[in-house]
Amino acid sequence: MNKIEPGLGINRRYLHDEVVDRMRDLIRSGDLEPRARINESELTERFGISRTPLREAIKILATEGLLELLPNRGARVASLSQSEIEEMIEVIAGLEATAADLACRTITDEEIAGIERDHHAMVVAWKAGEEGAYFSLNRSIHEAIMAASRNATLGGIYASLSGRIQRSRYAVHQTTEQWAQAVSEHERMIELLRARDGEALAVLMRAHIRAKTPVIAENFGATS
């Protein structure tokens, strides 16, 4: 397991819920990488807690598919096969395509303006080669379109599934050509949002998400 820097302890009332949130963030940010073993001693020290709430959190994250329980050997961060990644990307692409179509029916001018601001900042980060800022803004744009769909059920399914590959989706290195293509597609997304063309935006969004499959698989070291 990667070394985790010491941080602030946890003091909330519902301790295991807070531990779940903190561990989920570590997994999604990549601080805990695919196949990394969960070091209970290190995490209890990091969070300033006993093993009981940590183990409760591990069970919850296992039901979410973020951790794998190992018989008599603790737990590790879940890994994905090539076929699992392809299946997940296909579902996420469908969810984002549906959200895009719905968003074009309900999105406000103010929401589009917010997405445009994030897009312009993302382009600045792209030109400066600042990948961290770029991917953070990229994620914000996708989540804003999902939120604009006004469909909580859709958003809940998306958040759960997308979280399993979030780091790989938003933070892996792309080639110069892939990066430029992604920016171009984002520019087109905004044009279609302004036009409220849900059908065209859904088609674009599906293709945009599917294009991420190879880089996500590479990050997971996936095999068929």
Side-chain angles (χ1 to χ4, degrees):
M1 188 178 81
N2 293 2
K3 182 66 177 177
I4 302 172
E5 295 299 323
L8 296 176
I10 295 172
N11 298 308
R12 284 191 184 177
R13 178 180 175 186
Y14 299 105
L15 194 56
H16 71 275
D17 289 338
E18 176 66 5
V19 178
V20 167
D21 290 341
R22 295 279 289 275
M23 289 187 66
R24 191 186 289 120
D25 288 342
L26 290 174
I27 295 168
R28 292 178 176 176
S29 69
D31 288 331
L32 292 173
E33 296 181 347
R35 301 186 181 89
R37 291 289 295 273
I38 299 302
N39 186 322
E40 293 187 6
S41 296
E42 187 173 341
L43 288 174
T44 54
E45 182 179 353
R46 159 74 184 261
F47 297 151
I49 58 173
S50 68
R51 288 181 184 260
T52 298
L54 178 64
R55 289 174 175 171
E56 290 174 352
I58 288 171
K59 291 177 183 177
I60 293 171
L61 292 170
T63 66
E64 294 180 5
L66 292 175
L67 294 179
E68 297 173 349
L69 299 179
L70 306 173
N72 303 315
R73 292 185 293 124
R76 69 180 180 186
V77 180
S79 59
L80 297 170
S81 68
Q82 177 72 32
S83 60
E84 288 173 322
I85 289 169
E86 291 173 354
E87 289 174 359
M88 290 177 67
I89 290 293
E90 192 62 30
V91 175
I92 291 170
L95 294 172
E96 291 218 33
T98 300
D101 188 19
L102 293 174
C104 284
R105 307 178 196 178
T106 57
I107 196 166
T108 65
D109 290 339
E110 290 77 15
E111 285 172 317
I112 293 175
I115 290 171
E116 284 190 86
R117 285 193 295 272
D118 281 346
H119 173 74
H120 292 320
M122 187 184 77
V123 170
V124 171
W126 168 54
K127 291 180 177 179
E130 297 173 353
E131 289 193 355
Y134 169 87
F135 287 116
S136 177
L137 290 160
N138 186 322
R139 174 184 167 188
S140 294
I141 290 168
H142 282 268
E143 291 181 348
I145 293 174
M146 179 61 64
S149 73
R150 308 286 194 271
N151 190 307
T153 300
L154 181 68
I157 297 170
Y158 172 77
S160 176
L161 189 58
S162 181
R164 294 188 63 187
I165 57 173
Q166 181 170 285
R167 176 179 179 270
S168 297
R169 178 177 171 187
Y170 291 112
V172 294
H173 179 70
Q174 301 181 95
T175 66
T176 301
E177 293 76 15
Q178 288 170 331
W179 207 350
Q181 179 66 25
V183 171
S184 176
E185 289 172 357
H186 270 256
E187 290 173 349
R188 180 61 177 155
M189 286 177 201
I190 292 174
E191 292 174 0
L192 294 172
L193 281 171
R194 288 198 205 101
R196 269 65 171 188
D197 189 342
E199 184 175 352
L201 183 56
V203 171
L204 173 61
M205 190 67 78
R206 193 183 297 271
H208 180 75
I209 304 305
R210 283 173 173 167
K212 298 288 186 181
T213 303
V215 291
I216 293 173
E218 181 179 354
N219 188 66
F220 271 98
T223 57
S224 57

